[in-house]
Amino acid sequence: MAMGINISLCIGAYPGKDALYHLEKIKEHGFHGLEYYSWWQLGDLRAFAKEQERIGVGLIGTCTKHFNLVDPHERELYLTGLQETIEACHVLNIPSMISQTGNDRAGVPREVQRQAMIETLKQCAPLLEKAGVVLELEPLNGLVDHQGHFLQRSDEAASIIDEVGSPCVKIVFDVYHQQITEGNVIRNLRSYIDRIHHFHIADNPGRTEPGTGELNYVNILKAIKDTGYDGYVGLECGYTIDTDAAIERFKADILSKL
């Protein structure tokens, strides 16, 4: 397996199986953690934390409880959910949380929505910095999967990160989404690597495991590795064959070549 690439799986990789089953599989495959988006569905967080410790791998990412950043009327709800998620991250030793931005608000100028997002993120920043947890904005494609989503491009995401100006507000760069939205994947990830805290990977079309579509993941992962990036690369994808078989093929055909 490639050194310097920390691979995470996402909940749902093994359909119908719970988070602990996923962690056992991650350990078996020599991967590095699990992304579990709805932390509030785990039940007793302290009991789960003990199970993570027993298995030897744990959650490396989750999501905020509330997603809307472009509507200032939802700011207090967002901040409340953020604080609850920070507390969960402390219990579970999760280093980062992912946030979508919400859909474009009809009839509201885009710059007004952008400024609302920046103001909310500036209010999030001191809470995140005190906690040592990173909030990751995720641009999503609007052509196939998330029609109307406000934030879709990596350049706009980077400009927002720059205006917020916090080391705890970064980007999750989802290669699948950015291939659909803008292409130019390697150049863009190199350009914005200092704002990127997390990668997601899947092939296109179909959002299935790397190696099943048009993206050259040997070259993409080499490019990520060559930047010196040492964070997580999450397999946020469906699987065209049995999950274990797909992961072994990914390791043999892609990771072994890095």
Side-chain angles (χ1 to χ4, degrees):
M1 186 168 314
M3 299 299 292
I5 298 287
N6 297 313
I7 301 293
S8 54
L9 291 185
C10 299
I11 193 67
Y14 295 90
K17 301 296 186 180
D18 65 11
L20 293 178
Y21 182 92
H22 281 70
L23 289 177
E24 295 282 7
K25 282 294 188 178
I26 288 163
K27 182 76 170 180
E28 177 184 315
H29 283 292
F31 288 168
H32 303 91
L34 175 67
E35 300 182 37
Y36 187 95
Y37 303 121
S38 302
W39 60 263
W40 51 93
Q41 295 180 356
L42 283 171
D44 186 335
L45 299 187
R46 296 192 184 281
F48 190 87
K50 290 180 180 178
E51 289 296 289
Q52 289 186 139
E53 188 173 352
R54 175 186 64 80
I55 295 167
V57 292
L59 305 192
I60 60 87
T62 191
C63 287
T64 55
K65 284 191 78 172
H66 188 65
F67 280 140
N68 196 301
L69 283 165
V70 295
D71 187 345
H73 298 101
E74 300 197 38
R75 183 171 293 146
E76 288 306 315
L77 181 61
Y78 187 92
L79 290 168
T80 297
L82 181 89
Q83 189 60 59
E84 292 175 8
T85 305
I86 286 173
E87 291 166 7
C89 287
H90 276 172
V91 174
L92 297 168
N93 198 31
I94 301 173
S96 61
M97 63 182 85
I98 296 168
S99 181
Q100 298 168 13
T101 63
N103 281 4
D104 186 70
R105 299 168 63 204
V108 179
R110 187 167 183 85
E111 183 58 26
V112 170
Q113 298 180 73
R114 185 177 180 278
Q115 289 304 319
M117 185 191 313
I118 290 167
E119 177 57 34
T120 298
L121 292 171
K122 284 183 174 180
Q123 292 188 32
C124 293
L127 302 174
L128 296 161
E129 290 166 16
K130 182 179 178 181
V133 176
V134 175
L135 176 64
E136 303 167 345
L137 294 186
E138 183 169 24
L140 304 174
N141 83 79
L143 180 65
V144 178
D145 301 286
H146 299 277
Q147 186 174 5
H149 189 259
F150 181 87
L151 185 64
Q152 299 189 26
R153 295 184 57 86
S154 59
D155 55 358
E156 184 172 25
S159 73
I160 289 167
I161 297 299
D162 289 348
E163 287 200 47
V164 175
S166 170
C168 288
V169 181
K170 297 287 187 179
I171 301 169
V172 52
F173 188 102
D174 187 309
V175 174
Y176 164 79
H177 286 304
Q178 298 316 126
Q179 168 70 357
I180 293 171
T181 299
E182 62 196 16
N184 211 22
V185 167
I186 290 176
R187 183 175 302 190
N188 285 341
L189 74 85
R190 285 173 174 162
S191 295
Y192 305 127
I193 192 64
D194 59 336
R195 286 91 144 192
I196 294 170
H197 191 256
H198 190 170
F199 284 92
H200 280 162
I201 59 175
D203 225 321
N204 183 59
R207 205 174 190 177
T208 48
E209 73 269 22
T212 55
E214 67 187 354
L215 286 156
N216 185 330
Y217 269 107
V218 172
N219 286 348
I220 291 168
L221 290 174
K222 279 182 178 177
I224 292 171
K225 185 177 177 181
D226 288 347
T227 67
Y229 174 80
D230 61 358
Y232 292 98
V233 176
L235 282 165
E236 192 183 38
C237 59
Y239 296 90
T240 58
I241 57 176
D242 171 77
T243 303
D244 287 324
I247 288 172
E248 290 301 330
R249 186 170 67 185
F250 170 66
K251 287 155 64 173
D253 294 350
I254 297 175
L255 292 186
S256 68
K257 296 176 182 177
L258 302 183

